[in-house]
Amino acid sequence: MKIFLNDTLVDSTEAKISVFDHGLLYGDGIFEGIRLYNGCVFKLDAHLERLEYSAKAIMLKMPWSRQEIADAVCETCRANNLKDGYIRLVVTRGEGSLGLSIQNCKRPQLIIIADTIQLYPEEFYENGLSIITVPTRRCNPAALPPSVKSLNYLNNILAKIEAQHLGYHEAIMLNDQGYVAECTGDNVFIIHKGELITPAASAGALKGITRDTALEIADELGIPWREANMTRYDVWVADELFLTGTAAEIVPIVEVDARSIGNGKPGAITARFLESFRRRVSVEGTML
Ligand code: PMP
């Protein structure tokens, strides 16, 4: 497998970074997860824009232009003969010294991995998924804004561990006010009385690219949508519920905290979102 490292493709056995890289020492870096469908990179520009915003927020100056990174992403996919897959783009603060100061970190590192992806089984889309609310809260935006897609994922990993210990694949994370923020790697949407509602970024949600696509689909389907604070009660009594994410796409949720959502089967409106999403990924994207 070929990995893009800084400005060139190298064999995966040669793809190495320093143990003094602050990405490793402190989780000081940012990343993107991007999908390749049928030889086209889905929403590449939106992912690279979010990467730039994450970099700006953590004051990491990337020495590459958006076009250079886009070209590198496509080159990595081509070098690995991929038509469908998952692209992990990582930018670290680079090699520095022990200690938090970034002053010695002179050269950010760009890593692009393009590989096949372990997808959710099709039965999750057909039968829906059961999830649970876990105790670990989403980071307070005043501490580390969840809009920054940073290498600091311990918060989400703890929530994922809690869910998996109880036999669940995904978990709802609340913010420190007790409102629903998002899941460990997905955004949350409810449909109630014909309206689509999702937590705002200020409530601790990542500005998901799939989330934006779901909002575009809502416009296409003529379904009114808004961002709002959501309680667990709002989730429990929702008519339908679904999650969005680059890896997960659009997954129907049929049970939350042992309460059935709607009639306990994937909802009809959710099915229309999934259908439109799958149509979009088959016709949109940056060709390799
Ligand atoms: N929230 C979190 C915490 C995530 O890590 C992700 C990405 N896996 C998402 C939401 C969904 O974002 P996107 O649609 O851009 O993949």
Side-chain angles (χ1 to χ4, degrees), residues 47 50 138 149 153 156 182-187 206 208-211 244-246:
H47 280 284
R50 186 172 65 185
R138 197 69 183 96
K149 201 160 165 60
Y153 253 52
N156 306 54
E182 60 180 344
C183 286
T184 67
D186 302 306
N187 290 111
L206 179 77
I209 307 295
T210 323
R211 175 185 186 272
T244 64
T246 294

Side-chain angles (χ1 to χ4, degrees), residues 30 51-60 93 145 147-149:
I30 53 181
L51 183 78
E52 287 168 9
Y53 289 157
S54 293
K56 184 168 188 188
I58 68 163
M59 293 193 245
L60 191 163
R93 184 83 66 182
S147 295
V148 177
K149 201 160 165 60

Side-chain angles (χ1 to χ4, degrees), residues 51-121:
L51 183 78
E52 287 168 9
Y53 289 157
S54 293
K56 184 168 188 188
I58 68 163
M59 293 193 245
L60 191 163
K61 278 208 172 63
M62 294 196 292
W64 316 280
S65 68
R66 191 182 298 188
Q67 190 58 51
E68 281 170 334
I69 301 180
D71 290 345
V73 165
C74 294
E75 199 185 333
T76 312
C77 293
R78 282 195 301 267
N80 289 291
N81 289 319
L82 286 172
K83 279 227 159 281
D84 292 276
Y86 180 86
I87 302 152
R88 172 56 57 88
L89 203 166
V90 181
V91 177
T92 73
R93 184 83 66 182
E95 188 177 359
S97 43
L98 297 177
L100 292 179
S101 172
I102 62 168
Q103 261 166 9
N104 291 328
C105 302
K106 303 287 185 217
R107 193 167 171 242
Q109 301 282 295
L110 170 64
I111 302 160
I112 304 172
I113 307 167
D115 201 356
T116 49
I117 181 178
Q118 171 87 51
L119 296 170
Y120 272 167

